[in-house]
């Protein structure tokens, strides 16, 4: 089974899955899944905000209406898939989804630990730069740009432009 069952945008976001993923891997129609969501909307909202995005049809397709893609957190997805019949396909998907959520949460924790180490290293670097170059206010950005260049091949400005963020540090925490 495909390992791309669970997603997150950055380290601050909660992992989620989508109606399209549930549709694809359970072999249930989008219509029947959306009916379940609408029928149990109050219960799902008790488990968290029912977030969504509007997705346009794929390029090259013959058009069509945008699709409302609902994002389900772990609790919402678990509740929703328990409402589906236990066909062998659905049972396999349930197991794979639980495993994917566990892996995504572990990955997030690992990345958050690395980010916290990065923050501490950044503070330490700032103190060393200030101690060795007290009269040069541009030395910090010079070292910072050098670190970005070595790590990802772009300086801070290029990272911000490439990933459309205002802080280069934010670009390092997004997927």
């Amino acid at each position: 089974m495909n390992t791309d069952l669970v997603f997150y945008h950055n380290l601050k976001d909660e992992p989620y899955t989508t109606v399209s993923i549930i549709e694809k891997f359970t072999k249930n129609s989008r219509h029947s899944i959306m009916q379940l969501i609408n029928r149990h909307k109050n219960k799902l909202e008790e488990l968290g905000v029912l977030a969504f995005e509007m997705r346009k049809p794929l390029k090259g397709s013959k058009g069509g209406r945008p699709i409302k893609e609902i994002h389900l957190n772990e609790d919402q997805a678990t509740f929703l898939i328990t409402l589906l019949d236990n066909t062998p396909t659905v049972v396999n998907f349930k197991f794979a989804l639980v495993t994917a959520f566990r892996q995504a949460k572990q990955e997030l924790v690992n990345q958050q630990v690395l980010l916290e180490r990065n923050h501490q290293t950044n503070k330490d670097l700032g103190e060393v730069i200030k101690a060795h170059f007290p009269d040069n206010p541009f030395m910090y950005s010079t070292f910072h740009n050098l670190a970005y260049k070595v790590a990802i091949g772009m300086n801070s400005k290029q990272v911000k432009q490439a990933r459309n963020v205002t802080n280069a540090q934010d670009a390092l925490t997004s997927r």
Side-chain angles (χ1 to χ4, degrees):
M1 188 169 282
N2 190 343
T3 58
D4 292 331
L5 302 176
V6 176
F7 312 96
Y8 58 90
H9 293 293
N10 61 49
L11 299 182
K12 297 172 187 169
D13 287 347
E14 185 176 20
Y16 67 91
T17 193
T18 64
V19 170
S20 294
I21 293 294
I22 295 171
E23 172 191 10
K24 179 179 178 181
F25 290 100
T26 63
K27 306 290 190 244
N28 282 284
S29 71
R30 180 175 197 82
H31 179 74
S32 65
I33 295 169
M34 292 302 287
Q35 280 185 323
L36 278 175
I37 289 172
N38 290 331
R39 189 175 311 134
H40 300 285
K41 186 176 183 180
N42 291 338
K43 293 289 185 193
L44 288 166
E45 287 176 336
E46 285 180 35
L47 300 172
V49 175
L50 271 178
F52 69 92
E53 66 181 300
M54 298 303 288
R55 289 202 176 152
K56 293 184 178 181
L58 298 174
K59 287 187 178 184
S61 68
K62 293 185 179 187
R65 301 178 95 176
I67 295 173
K68 184 176 185 178
E69 188 64 85
I70 296 178
H71 296 189
L72 301 163
N73 66 28
E74 182 176 15
D75 292 338
Q76 292 167 330
T78 301
F79 174 69
L80 183 65
I81 62 176
T82 60
L83 300 173
L84 300 175
D85 290 335
N86 282 328
T87 65
T89 303
V90 171
V91 170
N92 288 335
F93 172 72
K94 288 178 182 182
F95 182 81
L97 188 64
V98 167
T99 304
F101 267 111
R102 184 180 334 119
Q103 289 171 345
K105 288 190 298 187
Q106 185 61 49
E107 183 179 319
L108 276 170
V109 167
N110 291 343
Q111 288 184 6
Q112 287 167 344
V113 167
L114 289 174
L115 185 61
E116 187 56 40
R117 285 184 194 162
N118 184 31
H119 283 304
Q120 187 58 47
T121 302
N122 203 11
K123 287 179 185 176
D124 295 344
L125 177 62
E127 291 172 10
V128 170
I129 292 170
K130 187 175 181 178
H132 285 79
F133 305 99
D135 298 330
N136 189 340
F138 303 107
M139 196 53 72
Y140 182 78
S141 65
T142 302
F143 275 96
H144 223 129
N145 277 325
L146 180 61
Y148 280 115
K149 193 75 167 173
V150 169
I152 57 177
M154 295 184 273
N155 66 29
S156 178
K157 184 177 180 180
Q158 292 168 330
V159 170
K160 288 186 232 180
Q161 288 175 342
R163 302 213 179 153
N164 198 21
V165 294
T166 56
N167 180 354
Q169 184 74 27
D170 291 341
L172 299 178
T173 62
S174 62
R175 276 184 110 187

